[in-house]
Each structure stands twice: as structure tokens, then as C-alpha cells.
Amino acid sequence: QSVLTQPPSASGTPGQRVTISCSGSRSKIARNSVNWYQQLPGTAPKLLIFSNNQRPSGVPDRFAGSRSGTSASLAISGLQSADEADYYCATWDDSLNGVVFGGGTQLTVL
Amino acid sequence: EAQLVESGGGLVQPGRSRRLSCAASGFTFDDYAMHWVRQVTGKGLEWVSGISWNSGSIAYADSVKGRFTISRDNAKNSLYLQMDSLRVEDTALYYCAKGIWNDIYYYDLDVWGQGTTVTVSS
């Protein structure tokens, strides 16, 4: 069981906006920033969002991250078939002294 | 372009050892912290270990603490993971990943290798 909780699946139709949540305890998400990774089928993960809401160069602004209290969210607008992937949130756990990942959310574009 | 290439995976018996390597190129290796992350087939990501630019800060997941040792050789632009007392549950694809700055507390991983598979089985 992951320290960060994500829904196992999410779905949407092309052009729609979908949101993926990531919840944790006060000792985790509330204290440290959250990152999001996208893992396309058969490929290595890719950093999608860092420091809660920052996009690395090359990531389209259709992807937006936010954090509030002990929860974080990834919003994907203008959904495309190419967005079908697994999405993971991650943060630093002070008590474990290490990085913790959410269990991942499989996004399906219908 | 920054690139990471892992090697050293393979089939190993329970209780034995294996050393993974990660060759870095395209960036100033000794400016950045490095991490290992693993993934069981069909499952999620699990952080394994991280090491700061000068090896001054090192951390491990509880699941590997005392059995795995992370190290780096900045002169060779290389990261290593020595895995001892391997267990069946260590079977996974092991990724090498670059942090965005020099300490392990900068845990944003912006460059990933393609991974090397370790299978622990008798």
C-alpha cells in the first residue's frame, strides 16, 4: 500500500478535462512539494510537474499541477489519445527520509 | 542531450549479489544527485536509493536498507547499486534517474534511463 493515495484509474474523452488526485498525510504532502510523472506504455517515467505546479521545458500547458493542504492534483485539459499513460505523484517523506510515490493512476482516453 | 544507460541486470539466485551500473552523459554528472527507482512488472514505481553529488548524503528505502549500497564515481560519470542478499521480491526493472540539483532532497527526477531488469529466482 502506497503512502500517497491515487485513484487506480481515470478516463475521459478527447478534448475533455480530467483531474487526478493524490492524497497523503500532513507529514508528507503538506510539508514537501509534489511532483508528477507520466509513464507512457513501455517507456521510462517522465517528469511532468515539479514543485507542485511547475512544468519542465517542453511539457505543454495542458498539464497543470496544484496542491492544497494534504492533497495534490494533476489536471489535464484538452485530453488527447497520446495522454493515455500511467501517472504518478511523488514527494519526500521526512519520516522515511526518502522519496515516496503514489500507487499510480492509469488514464484511459475513450 | 542528457542520457542515462543502465546495465548489470540479469538472473540471480536468492541470497546472491548483483551490481548495477548507470553511465551518464550529456550533463555535468558531479553537479547532481542521483537515484535508483524500481518497478515490478505491471506495478507502480518504488524509490530505492539516492546519493548526493559528493556522496555526502545517502538514503535508502526501508525495503533495501542494510542490503543495498549506492555509490558513484564522478570521474567515470557513473552511478552504482550493489545489491546483496537478494530476495525474490527484489525482482524488478531498475531505473537510474537524475535529480534536478545536487542534494537528494531535490527529489525531482528529470532524466531517466531505460532501466535494467533484475530477476531473482532459483
Side-chain angles (χ1 to χ4, degrees), chain A residues 39-86:
Chain A
Q39 187 174 33
L40 298 170
T43 70
K46 168 190 171 183
L47 182 63
L48 199 64
I49 297 288
F50 67 98
S51 297
N52 302 319
N53 55 18
Q54 302 299 301
R55 286 184 304 277
S57 173
V59 174
D61 58 8
R62 299 188 299 106
F63 295 91
S66 63
R67 186 188 73 174
S68 177
T70 59
S71 293
S73 294
L74 173 69
I76 308 172
S77 58
L79 199 61
Q80 301 177 1
S81 58
D83 298 332
E84 275 207 344
D86 294 325

Side-chain angles (χ1 to χ4, degrees), chain B residues 17-28:
Chain B
S17 298
R18 197 81 175 187
R19 189 196 198 203
L20 304 183
S21 299
C22 171
S25 61
F27 64 98
T28 305

Side-chain angles (χ1 to χ4, degrees), chain A:
Chain A
Q1 186 174 356
S2 300
V3 173
L4 301 179
T5 301
Q6 297 180 237
S9 63
S11 63
T13 56
Q16 235 182 358
R17 181 179 186 270
V18 297
T19 301
I20 297 172
S21 63
C22 173
S23 63
S25 67
R26 185 170 291 109
S27 68
K28 299 169 182 55
I29 290 185
R31 289 175 57 87
N32 297 302
S33 64
V34 175
N35 304 325
W36 289 91
Y37 298 89
Q38 177 193 58
Q39 187 174 33
L40 298 170
T43 70
K46 168 190 171 183
L47 182 63
L48 199 64
I49 297 288
F50 67 98
S51 297
N52 302 319
N53 55 18
Q54 302 299 301
R55 286 184 304 277
S57 173
V59 174
D61 58 8
R62 299 188 299 106
F63 295 91
S66 63
R67 186 188 73 174
S68 177
T70 59
S71 293
S73 294
L74 173 69
I76 308 172
S77 58
L79 199 61
Q80 301 177 1
S81 58
D83 298 332
E84 275 207 344
D86 294 325
Y87 293 84
Y88 296 90
C89 59
T91 191
W92 184 267
D93 188 323
D94 292 329
S95 59
L96 297 178
N97 195 38
V99 181
V100 290
F101 287 94
T105 298
Q106 184 176 52
L107 175 64
T108 301
V109 180
L110 303 169

Side-chain angles (χ1 to χ4, degrees), chain A residues 32-35 37 39 42-47 49-51 86 88 90-92 96-103, chain B residues 35 37 39 43-47 58-62 65 93 95 100 104-105 107-115:
Chain A
N32 297 302
S33 64
V34 175
N35 304 325
Y37 298 89
Q39 187 174 33
T43 70
K46 168 190 171 183
L47 182 63
I49 297 288
F50 67 98
S51 297
D86 294 325
Y88 296 90
T91 191
W92 184 267
L96 297 178
N97 195 38
V99 181
V100 290
F101 287 94
Chain B
H35 297 256
V37 177
Q39 185 172 33
K43 301 297 184 182
L45 301 172
E46 180 188 16
W47 177 81
I58 289 175
Y60 299 96
D62 285 345
K65 201 170 295 181
L93 178 64
Y95 292 106
I100 64 166
I104 58 174
Y105 306 105
Y107 49 90
D108 323 78
L109 308 179
D110 64 348
V111 180
W112 295 64
Q114 287 306 303

